[in-house]
């Protein structure tokens, strides 16, 4: 019964509402996948790598072991910087560290373009559905002429407006999630730059 009611609700909005419903499912899947991916990448994990960086100037082997044990994106970049500092000149080590950091940041930002696209096109789909519904409503009004029932016309209009509301309902959480994920990636980028700078400074002092 509930499924039939939902299907009837979607049928009123036409193809645009069906497309928006599919986007809502995709948006939820992307958000859940992205949260799991960030957790797996250790986007919020800092403690272990801080200990590794603090140990770098005193004991390189202990610092590398601490970075490996810490895991996460920060620890991987820190470990790559330590390895580069040990086997490459300073300039080449910086380039190698920057390369690894760019790859890790690109991995953190995977899926964000899809969320950005959904946040952009969902309201447009809603507006398209509303325009098409209004066209149908006014075509019906023209066909009936003076005998038009205002209640029927009003019903057609609110059904058309369903798609606009649905498009906004999908776009708002998609845009909010996109902003949050971008802020997480920016925070990780800032941390990586700070960690790399501290490692290189410690290497110069050693």
């Amino acid at each position: 019964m509930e499924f039939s009611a939902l299907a009837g609700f979607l049928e009123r909005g036409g193809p645009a509402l069906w497309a928006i419903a599919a986007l809502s499912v995709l948006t939820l899947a992307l958000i859940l996948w992205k949260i799991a991916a960030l957790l797996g990448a250790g986007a919020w994990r800092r403690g272990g790598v801080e200990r590794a960086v603090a140990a770098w100037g005193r004991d390189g082997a202990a610092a590398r072991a601490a970075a490996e044990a810490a895991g996460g994106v920060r620890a991987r970049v820190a470990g790559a910087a330590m390895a580069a500092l040990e086997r490459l000149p300073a300039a080449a080590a910086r380039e190698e560290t920057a390369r690894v950091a760019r790859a890790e940041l690109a991995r953190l930002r995977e899926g964000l373009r899809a969320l950005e696209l959904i946040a952009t096109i969902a309201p447009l789909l809603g507006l398209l559905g509303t325009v098409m519904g209004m066209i149908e409503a006014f075509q019906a009004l023209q066909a009936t002429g003076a005998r038009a029932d205002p209640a029927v016309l009003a019903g057609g209009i609110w059904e058309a407006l369903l798609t606009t509301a649905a498009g906004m309902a999908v776009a708002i959480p998609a845009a909010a999630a996109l902003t949050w994920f971008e802020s997480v990636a920016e925070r990780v980028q800032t941390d990586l730059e700070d960690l790399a700078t501290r490692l290189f400074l410690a290497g110069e002092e050693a």
Side-chain angles (χ1 to χ4, degrees):
M1 189 66 177
E2 291 180 359
F3 177 78
S4 61
L6 177 61
F9 180 79
L10 293 173
E11 192 67 32
R12 290 181 180 181
L17 193 55
W18 282 98
I20 292 170
L23 284 180
S24 70
V25 175
L26 179 59
T27 299
L28 179 60
L30 277 172
I31 291 172
L32 294 176
W33 167 75
K34 195 61 194 175
I35 291 173
L38 289 173
L39 286 170
W44 293 281
R45 201 183 309 156
R46 294 188 182 88
V49 72
E50 287 292 338
R51 290 189 291 274
V53 172
W56 172 245
R58 303 187 306 271
D59 187 345
R64 290 193 306 276
E68 185 176 352
V73 57
R74 293 173 181 83
R76 285 194 294 271
V77 173
M82 293 173 188
L85 280 167
E86 289 184 330
R87 60 185 176 84
L88 296 172
R94 288 181 187 276
E95 290 298 322
E96 174 63 13
T97 303
R99 184 191 66 81
V100 174
R102 283 193 298 268
E104 292 291 344
L105 289 170
R107 193 173 297 113
L108 282 183
R109 291 190 169 103
E110 286 179 353
L112 298 190
R113 294 298 297 273
L115 275 176
E116 183 180 4
L117 181 63
I118 291 171
T120 301
I121 66 173
L124 296 178
L125 276 174
L127 182 60
L128 176 62
T130 294
V131 170
M132 298 302 295
M134 295 291 286
I135 290 172
E136 291 180 4
F138 283 109
Q139 283 178 336
L141 176 63
Q142 182 183 23
T144 54
R147 302 187 307 278
D149 185 352
V152 174
L153 179 61
I157 292 173
W158 79 257
E159 288 177 4
L161 290 173
L162 278 176
T163 57
T164 295
M168 291 180 179
V170 172
I172 289 171
L178 175 63
T179 301
W180 178 41
F181 293 144
E182 285 181 339
S183 69
V184 172
E186 289 172 3
R187 177 59 186 271
V188 171
Q189 180 176 353
T190 301
D191 288 348
L192 294 182
E193 292 172 354
D194 177 69
L195 290 169
T197 300
R198 289 159 58 192
L199 286 171
F200 278 92
L201 288 176
E204 291 174 1
E205 293 172 358

